[in-house]
Amino acid sequence: MTNDVDLHPARISSYHDGPFGQRPELLDERLFWMGHLYSWGSGGAGLFFGPGYAWADHRAYWQRLWQRADWPAFTIPLAAGHRFHVVYRTVPGEGGVDYLVNHPSWTRAELVARDDGHFMGPGLSWPDLVAAADNGHVRRDHHGPTRPPVAPAASLRGLGCS
């Protein structure tokens, strides 16, 4: 994932108009990741997330997330200028997470997966996921440059073989 303003989608070709919100702070929250990966864990969240998992905290956090006015959107840069977007559609009654691939020269972003109660693919292939994880993008923190550890986890739900 990236906080790079140039990569953050103000608009995604032939996709909803948003409003997209750049929310990098969510990526540092354990409850965000619990929710993002929850449906992938197929209900075994306590075992999947280990010690410290509390259903009540998880539920309260996600209720707040889905009531947001903006749509949290995250971007993972891919090879040759392509972008992988993870968009949380916080539309009441129609919320879900869309996974799209786009390129600045394309007139239409391609929806590769959707998770809104029922997973829909085809999704990314393992080579695509590896490319997203190894995109060379540098994330900076107070210790200096680091590789982005969140890219594989964020794109995991977009994997075709869930």
Side-chain angles (χ1 to χ4, degrees):
M1 302 280 196
T2 179
N3 299 339
D4 187 336
V5 174
D6 292 333
L7 296 177
H8 180 70
R11 185 176 175 283
I12 299 174
S13 308
S14 298
Y15 181 69
H16 300 281
D17 290 331
F20 302 119
Q22 188 173 8
R23 300 288 177 207
E25 70 277 6
L26 296 177
L27 303 177
D28 294 326
E29 297 180 24
R30 185 169 190 241
L31 287 171
F32 173 80
W33 290 107
M34 287 178 169
H36 184 75
L37 298 172
Y38 180 78
S39 63
W40 188 67
S42 300
L47 297 173
F48 187 69
F49 296 118
Y53 176 77
W55 172 250
D57 293 341
H58 169 114
R59 183 175 166 88
Y61 179 87
W62 280 86
Q63 284 176 337
R64 287 191 310 272
L65 181 81
W66 290 112
Q67 292 171 357
R68 298 181 73 93
D70 66 343
W71 297 9
F74 309 100
T75 301
I76 300 168
L78 301 174
H82 292 84
R83 311 278 191 265
F84 182 74
H85 301 290
V86 179
V87 180
Y88 278 78
R89 287 177 289 110
T90 58
V91 178
E94 298 179 25
V97 183
D98 291 338
Y99 301 85
L100 303 109
V101 174
N102 198 9
H103 189 275
S105 67
W106 294 359
T107 58
R108 177 181 184 87
E110 291 297 322
L111 179 68
V112 295
R114 172 173 283 157
D115 190 2
D116 54 6
H118 296 90
F119 182 80
M120 186 267 327
L124 296 175
S125 66
W126 275 110
D128 291 335
L129 183 65
V130 169
D134 193 29
N135 63 25
H137 183 76
V138 176
R139 178 179 172 188
R140 303 205 178 268
D141 64 14
H142 64 282
H143 297 293
T146 62
R147 291 195 49 98
V150 297
S155 55
L156 192 57
R157 282 301 298 143
L159 188 63
C161 58
S162 61

